[in-house]
Amino acid sequence: MEGSLQTFIHVCHENGQWMSQLPEELWDIPLYNLALPGSHDTMTYCLDKSSAVSGNESKLVKFLNKCMPCIVNPIIMKWSTTQVLTVTQQLEAGVRYLDFRIAHKANDPSTNLYFVHMVYTTVTVQDTLWEVLRWLETHPQEVVILAFRNFDGLTKRLHCHLVACIKEVFRCKLCPRNVEPTLRTMWQQGHQVIVSYEEDKELEKHCELWPAIPYWWGNKTSTRALIHFLERMKRMGRPEIFFVAGINLTENLRYILLHPFGSLKKMTLQSLPVLKIWIKKQCPGPKKKCINIIAGDFIGNNDFVKDVIELNTKLNYPLHCQSKETGTNSISFS
């Protein structure tokens, strides 16, 4: 079985069909015990250069952007953009967890919702959901996890509107939270979408919504500190179902001032060789130190997606995960 999984990774260069081509022995393993590639702040490839700063940002940032937009706005764009591939390109590349930060623009009388990371996107949430649906319809055995988070400026009425849009777009493709999310089960029932929703009041009303998925965010500017954080989280033990290990670095004001010609992309690309080594040491599965979703920035670089997918080969046989940080775990699904 190991050979069959390794072969499809080399044949399917863009990994657009990787779930449908997994060996049958993995079809009955819950998705939260597989290794899934994800993108952090999925929609920042289409941030609006002319957008106002979001309502969640500090008064200082808003003031500076209003007074000196020609200086401040380019800086914001350099340090807010985390992806360059479109949502369809990310899915085609093999990403199966999408990190959606939802927002409603201040003083906007419409119900239009956007994505946000310091500034708003040019595309709406509803248009993006239809784009995801179109991709799913041409990839009927692929499953995606959509994490709806943050909710900047959303009222109760707008939450109702957003959930109604989600249900209108995906309909029976939505997997209810009482279903054991294995590939075989989801294929049999026609489900392709798991929606994680970070608002408990909506969960009570809709069985199609799953609880918020924990995201291990290190908030670190150095690769070494980030890996130390992730290993500490692993020692504490993984959640029972879905969770995300974020391998994304995070800038702060001091870092930006020390790197006036830098950007989040440069920061990320410098860290990837070391993070690649860490990824290859990880093991999916239900054990305490196992991983599930690994999400990163600029996911088209350095074979990130392929490396995460390949971790599923470790579910083929009893494996001893050996590293100085993690110790030894034995994983077997036979």
Side-chain angles (χ1 to χ4, degrees), residues 54-250:
S54 77
N56 276 348
E57 298 305 320
S58 68
K59 292 182 179 179
L60 176 60
V61 172
K62 294 177 185 177
F63 174 77
L64 292 174
N65 190 53
K66 187 175 182 179
C67 295
M68 301 180 291
C70 295
I71 297 174
V72 177
N73 188 266
I75 295 174
I76 288 176
M77 296 300 294
K78 284 199 307 179
W79 294 100
S80 296
T81 301
T82 66
Q83 307 295 340
V84 293
L85 300 182
T86 68
V87 69
T88 297
Q89 289 170 336
Q90 291 180 42
L91 292 168
E92 196 62 33
V95 166
R96 295 297 176 265
Y97 166 90
L98 302 180
D99 178 16
F100 287 163
R101 314 292 180 94
I102 312 298
H104 182 256
K105 294 179 180 179
N107 303 317
D108 182 355
S110 76
T111 57
N112 289 337
L113 299 175
Y114 297 84
F115 305 96
V116 66
H117 191 211
M118 290 198 74
V119 294
Y120 303 101
T121 56
T122 57
V123 302
T124 65
V125 172
Q126 192 168 17
D127 286 345
T128 301
L129 297 185
W130 286 111
E131 183 178 350
V132 172
L133 176 67
R134 287 192 294 271
W135 186 86
L136 289 170
E137 288 177 335
T138 60
H139 299 75
Q141 288 187 293
E142 299 301 301
V143 174
V144 297
I145 299 169
L146 308 181
F148 289 79
R149 309 174 61 198
N150 284 38
F151 302 126
D152 179 5
L154 264 70
T155 61
K156 181 179 179 181
R157 181 175 70 92
L158 288 171
H159 273 293
C160 292
H161 171 68
L162 175 56
V163 174
C165 288
I166 293 169
K167 294 171 76 168
E168 177 192 6
V169 172
F170 296 115
R171 298 181 180 271
C172 62
K173 290 186 182 295
L174 291 172
C175 178
R177 61 177 176 268
N178 63 349
V179 171
E180 179 77 352
T182 67
L183 287 174
R184 191 190 302 273
T185 298
M186 295 187 74
W187 291 342
Q188 289 174 346
Q189 299 185 17
H191 302 317
Q192 286 186 271
V193 182
I194 291 173
V195 169
S196 160
Y197 205 86
E198 207 172 66
E199 174 55 60
D200 291 341
K201 291 182 180 179
E202 296 303 319
L203 293 179
E204 297 171 2
K205 296 184 286 186
H206 305 280
C207 65
E208 298 90 347
L209 302 181
W210 291 61
I213 295 177
Y215 194 108
W216 290 354
W217 177 50
N219 194 20
K220 307 295 182 184
T221 59
S222 79
T223 313
R224 172 184 251 181
L226 175 60
I227 290 175
H228 179 76
F229 164 79
L230 293 173
E231 289 299 323
R232 179 166 57 85
M233 295 300 291
K234 285 171 59 181
R235 288 193 295 272
M236 293 171 62
R238 58 155 292 168
E240 290 185 4
I241 54 172
F242 294 107
F243 75 102
V244 183
I247 62 164
N248 50 290
L249 293 174
T250 306

Side-chain angles (χ1 to χ4, degrees), residues 14-57:
E14 292 185 326
N15 299 314
Q17 307 272 5
W18 73 266
M19 282 182 157
S20 65
Q21 298 181 41
L22 281 174
E24 187 173 357
E25 288 83 350
L26 301 185
W27 295 357
D28 297 307
I29 295 175
L31 293 179
Y32 46 76
N33 289 334
L34 295 179
L36 307 176
S39 61
H40 167 250
D41 261 312
T42 299
M43 300 301 297
T44 57
Y45 65 86
C46 58
L47 293 177
D48 186 353
K49 295 179 181 179
S50 61
S51 166
V53 174
S54 77
N56 276 348
E57 298 305 320

